[in-house]
Amino acid sequence: MKPFYILICTGYLYLCCINNASAQPIASFSVNAPLPACDPAIISFSNTSTGEGTLSYAWQFGIDGATDTAINTTYSYDTCGIFSVVLSVTDSLGQSASDTQQVVIECTPTASFNFTALSVCDSSNVIFTDTSTPADSIAAWLWDFGDPVSGALNTSDLQSPTHFYHTSGDFIISLFITSNSGCTATTYDTFSIYHPQANFSLLTTACENDSVFFIDLSVSADSIVEWYWTFGDAS
């Protein structure tokens, strides 16, 4: 606002202009985000606005109801999408300006798989099938079969590989996936191969024509459901 003053001196009319208007503030900020920014993502914003006097700030994060009045701020995006972030700056004279920038949050895929074992005793050939979603967004796979004794065969970058387990035990399988946008996810599951150990003892000693009682002492990580005894007595 420019006030004008009229001065009259010795018959002359003087028009005087005194300019006491302040400069318009300039709103600006930078977005500090990882590349890629995958949901959930915490994004920080650095305020670089300028202006005269005391400035006040109003942030909008592109989500209904999400605002802040701090100079610098952060916001946690729980969903993926493109969000318009607005910073409005107001000086002590009520003059204001705003800056708008877009924040892109990429969708994190969900890693999952299932497996089919051709056998679960002693050794087994296991087929692993990737079921990660969205299926068309996955660009790379990395499997760890939890079987370090297999050496280089313990890992695979195939989408749905097969692995042969030579020994019994519990194996933790992990699948690490990467999406087309660079977001990653991991999942785990356990696969067991059983190897029962047969054992027994005599309950009593016996003489000829007496009965002998046998006690099964077999052990197995799985349930034993069937027994077959051979007593070595051909008669």
Side-chain angles (χ1 to χ4, degrees):
M1 179 69 179
K2 296 181 179 181
F4 290 88
Y5 299 90
I6 298 177
L7 301 178
I8 300 176
C9 298
T10 63
Y12 293 94
L13 178 65
Y14 294 91
L15 181 63
C16 300
C17 174
I18 301 176
N19 184 356
N20 65 352
S22 62
Q24 186 87 5
I26 299 175
S28 64
F29 65 94
S30 60
V31 179
N32 308 308
L35 291 176
C38 306
D39 70 305
I42 299 177
I43 309 299
S44 64
F45 303 94
S46 298
N47 193 332
T48 56
S49 303
T50 58
E52 298 180 8
T54 302
L55 301 178
S56 61
Y57 308 97
W59 296 88
Q60 300 176 61
F61 301 105
I63 294 179
D64 290 344
T67 61
D68 196 4
T69 57
I71 298 176
N72 302 298
T73 188
T74 62
Y75 187 77
S76 178
Y77 290 91
D78 295 327
T79 59
C80 54
I82 300 176
F83 304 92
S84 294
V85 178
V86 180
L87 170 60
S88 298
V89 179
T90 304
D91 65 16
S92 55
L93 296 178
Q95 300 181 109
S96 62
S98 63
D99 183 22
T100 302
Q101 297 188 46
Q102 287 189 332
V103 173
V104 179
I105 306 297
E106 302 289 352
C107 297
T108 298
T110 300
S112 63
F113 65 91
N114 56 43
F115 54 83
T116 302
L118 303 185
S119 172
V120 291
C121 298
D122 296 329
S123 61
S124 182
N125 210 30
V126 183
I127 302 171
F128 295 93
T129 302
D130 170 57
T131 56
S132 303
T133 55
D136 58 355
S137 73
I138 312 303
W141 300 261
L142 179 60
W143 296 83
D144 186 312
F145 302 114
D147 185 23
V149 297
S150 63
L153 298 178
N154 187 45
T155 61
S156 174
D157 59 2
L158 298 177
Q159 180 178 2
S160 296
T162 298
H163 182 73
F164 183 75
Y165 290 89
H166 294 80
T167 60
S168 60
D170 295 325
F171 304 91
I172 299 176
I173 298 95
S174 62
L175 170 61
F176 180 87
I177 60 173
T178 305
S179 70
N180 293 318
S181 59
C183 297
T184 61
T186 306
T187 189
Y188 304 88
D189 204 348
T190 301
F191 171 72
S192 298
I193 298 178
Y194 305 110
H195 181 69
Q197 301 291 327
N199 191 19
F200 69 92
S201 69
L202 301 178
L203 181 62
T204 61
T205 57
C207 297
E208 185 178 359
N209 295 321
D210 284 345
S211 297
V212 177
F213 296 93
F214 300 92
I215 300 175
D216 173 44
L217 300 177
S218 303
V219 294
S220 174
D222 194 13
S223 299
I224 299 175
V225 296
E226 185 176 332
W227 295 259
Y228 181 78
W229 295 84
T230 301
F231 300 110
D233 182 10
S235 62

